[in-house]
Amino acid sequence: MKKVGILGGGQLGRMLLQAAINYPVETYIMENDAHAPSSHLCHHFVKGDITNFEDVYNFGKQLDAITIEIEHVNVEALEQLAAEGVVVYPKPEALKIIKNKIHQKNFYKQHEIPTSEFVVTQTLSELNNHIHFLPAVHKLGSGGYDGKGVQLLRKAEDISVGFDAPAVLEKMVDIKQEIAIIIAVANNGETAIYPPVDMVFDPNLNLLSYQICPAVLPEKVFWKAEAIAINVVKKLNSPGIFAVEMFADKNDNVLVNEIAPRVHNSGHHSIEGNYSSQFDMLWRIMLNYPLGNTEIILPSALVNIIGAENHEGAVVYDGLNEVLKMDNVFVHLYGKAKTKPGRKMGHVTILSNEKQELLHKANQIKHCLFVKAKSD
Ligand code: ADP
């Protein structure tokens, strides 16, 4: 049986392990927290630091293949493992490009992939040279996630909230829609593309509010988005699962925002919504089986279950019964013992042929399900 490891033991690892049950594979997780969402669901849990060379190398050298659930891992160790014959998903070369937003933007430019105009800044004071470039978005080169590491700079007075570290300053796009397309790439280069997802963001939290699949897009935006997503993933030249996040602007231009070289939040609906989920698909790739069917079974909406403001501590889910009473609604709790404001604690997928029903239920869920801390 193949031995496959995952760096990181959060919810992505957890849902990967759920899908692994169907296949002949021995699973390994490395993670610092022995109580992380996936630590008790794998065959072998190894406590370790995914950013440390020795830890990642020693973990990986016993494996046939290794993947990641977060980009923030030790790439040098993955390069060493790849040189020694462990198959790494994605390839370390692709991970290196994606891990740093400066490298990512330069990669798009080099390959003529449409993306918002940008300049690279090294320090906060350098931003003063780019006042004419505003309104813009300042993004930390490495270390940011889920909107942390992103600052909107609309006017000169906002510059003080920028980053005093290597970063990219991107022209602010007049966004009409944010979409994501997940693409699977097999070891032989064959690709399978999932239908696009419409991601609706909460402007205050800079976090996903809900997402709908398939996204309703003007036909030419749809074709452009698919072509761009396939092109950029092909240029990365690596097997694995890739989520390509894009902006469609008011003039129907499609621009790449960023890529995740792994299973991604924008593909969670695929567990119930598509014949082969993104998690199932990654196992097919890593175990060298044929790619699965990416078509939807039914349209879906997805709501993330997020820790409520002012609640920190042992978690309780308020309103769960109400959600579980709804038809064609699927609850996923990630098994995190503690909540804190903004923490991703789970998600809910809704299936329906009626867009109105999807939106109605998504709103109902957002208004009745709350993640709180026990009050004692
Ligand atoms: P993260 O990697 O932390 O998710 P993103 O680069 O996806 O960060 O940015 C977070 C959000 O900020 C995006 O989903 C989008 O709403 C907004 N944003 C990012 N870049 C731009 C841009 N160039 N123009 C307008 N809004 C942007």
Side-chain angles (χ1 to χ4, degrees):
M1 212 154 44
K2 273 200 182 170
K3 297 177 177 176
V4 179
I6 303 167
L7 294 177
Q11 63 266 21
L12 300 175
R14 182 179 173 99
M15 290 182 270
L16 270 170
L17 292 172
Q18 269 181 314
I21 293 170
N22 300 326
Y23 293 110
V25 58
E26 199 172 331
T27 55
Y28 291 69
I29 294 271
M30 190 169 83
E31 154 76 53
N32 245 334
D33 174 8
H35 302 290
S38 53
S39 52
H40 63 293
L41 297 169
C42 50
H43 294 106
H44 308 276
F45 176 78
V46 178
K47 196 168 150 50
D49 177 358
I50 59 176
T51 65
N52 176 279
F53 182 95
E54 295 297 323
D55 284 5
V56 173
Y57 177 71
N58 289 328
F59 173 70
K61 68 182 183 194
Q62 62 190 326
L63 304 171
D64 298 302
I66 187 167
T67 192
I68 57 165
E69 61 141 43
I70 183 167
E71 287 85 343
H72 196 55
V73 296
N74 191 291
V75 186
E76 291 71 29
L78 292 176
E79 283 176 318
Q80 183 63 33
L81 290 167
E84 292 176 18
V86 180
V87 193
V88 184
Y89 299 90
K91 280 189 183 163
E93 296 80 10
L95 181 56
K96 265 185 159 169
I97 295 166
I98 292 174
K99 213 180 156 197
N100 185 306
K101 291 202 176 185
I102 300 171
H103 297 165
Q104 228 186 100
K105 288 295 266 189
N106 284 330
F107 173 80
Y108 301 146
K109 197 166 155 186
Q110 183 194 341
H111 291 283
E112 297 178 358
I113 309 281
T115 190
S116 59
E117 226 187 294
F118 68 100
V119 288
V120 175
T121 59
Q122 302 295 335
T123 62
L124 184 61
S125 62
E126 254 182 60
L127 281 175
N128 290 306
N129 307 333
H130 301 295
I131 307 273
H132 62 281
F133 201 76
L134 306 185
V137 183
H138 205 210
K139 300 185 179 180
L140 210 47
S142 57
Y145 66 97
D146 281 351
K148 297 176 186 71
V150 174
Q151 288 289 359
L152 305 187
L153 310 180
R154 291 181 197 282
K155 46 192 185 319
E157 299 83 83
D158 297 337
I159 278 182
S160 60
V161 301
F163 301 103
D164 195 19
V168 280
L169 184 68
E170 286 182 21
K171 277 259 189 247
M172 195 173 286
V173 177
D174 199 0
I175 300 173
K176 190 160 112 191
Q177 263 175 308
E178 292 198 36
I179 52 185
I181 293 186
I182 294 197
I183 296 183
V185 185
N187 295 310
N188 64 5
E190 193 190 329
T191 57
I193 184 162
Y194 283 86
V197 171
D198 190 352
M199 301 189 292
V200 181
F201 279 81
D202 182 320
N204 300 319
L205 296 172
N206 228 347
L207 257 187
L208 187 70
S209 180
Y210 61 88
Q211 65 193 36
I212 297 276
C213 183
V216 180
L217 302 170
E219 203 165 329
K220 74 173 176 192
V221 172
F222 176 82
W223 292 119
K224 272 190 215 170
E226 274 206 341
I228 291 169
I230 292 218
N231 184 26
V232 69
V233 167
K234 287 226 155 123
K235 296 273 159 45
L236 279 171
N237 195 25
S238 163
I241 292 278
F242 298 86
V244 184
E245 295 184 49
M246 288 166 282
F247 300 136
D249 73 9
K250 303 269 150 76
N251 301 316
D252 289 346
N253 296 309
V254 177
L255 304 168
V256 173
N257 175 30
E258 60 173 353
I259 299 178
R262 52 168 171 80
V263 288
H264 189 255
N265 203 146
S266 61
H268 290 353
H269 64 285
S270 63
I271 297 175
E272 289 90 7
N274 299 63
Y275 290 98
S276 174
S277 76
Q278 61 169 347
F279 303 101
D280 175 68
M281 192 70 102
L282 185 56
W283 289 112
R284 286 168 173 266
I285 294 167
M286 295 196 294
L287 300 174
N288 228 350
Y289 293 129
L291 292 179
N293 179 355
T294 56
E295 277 172 54
I296 62 161
I297 299 168
L298 274 179
S300 63
L302 181 136
V303 177
N304 280 334
I305 305 177
I306 304 285
E309 284 304 308
N310 304 319
H311 282 263
E312 186 151 357
V315 64
V316 280
Y317 297 96
D318 220 19
L320 196 54
N321 278 325
E322 253 178 273
V323 176
L324 287 167
K325 270 186 216 154
M326 296 178 178
D327 287 337
N328 297 330
V329 167
F330 304 89
V331 174
H332 296 255
L333 298 178
Y334 300 153
K336 298 179 183 178
K338 288 190 177 157
T339 182
K340 47 182 184 199
R343 191 172 193 201
K344 285 182 185 168
M345 302 298 286
H347 74 262
V348 184
T349 303
I350 307 149
L351 297 186
S352 172
N353 257 323
E354 302 297 324
K355 175 122 193 244
Q356 276 313 316
E357 189 185 354
L358 291 176
L359 294 179
H360 177 68
K361 282 186 174 159
N363 273 313
Q364 253 185 313
I365 291 165
K366 287 174 80 72
H367 288 100
C368 81
L369 182 58
F370 295 97
V371 186
K372 297 183 175 168
K374 273 198 189 111
S375 48
D376 52 348

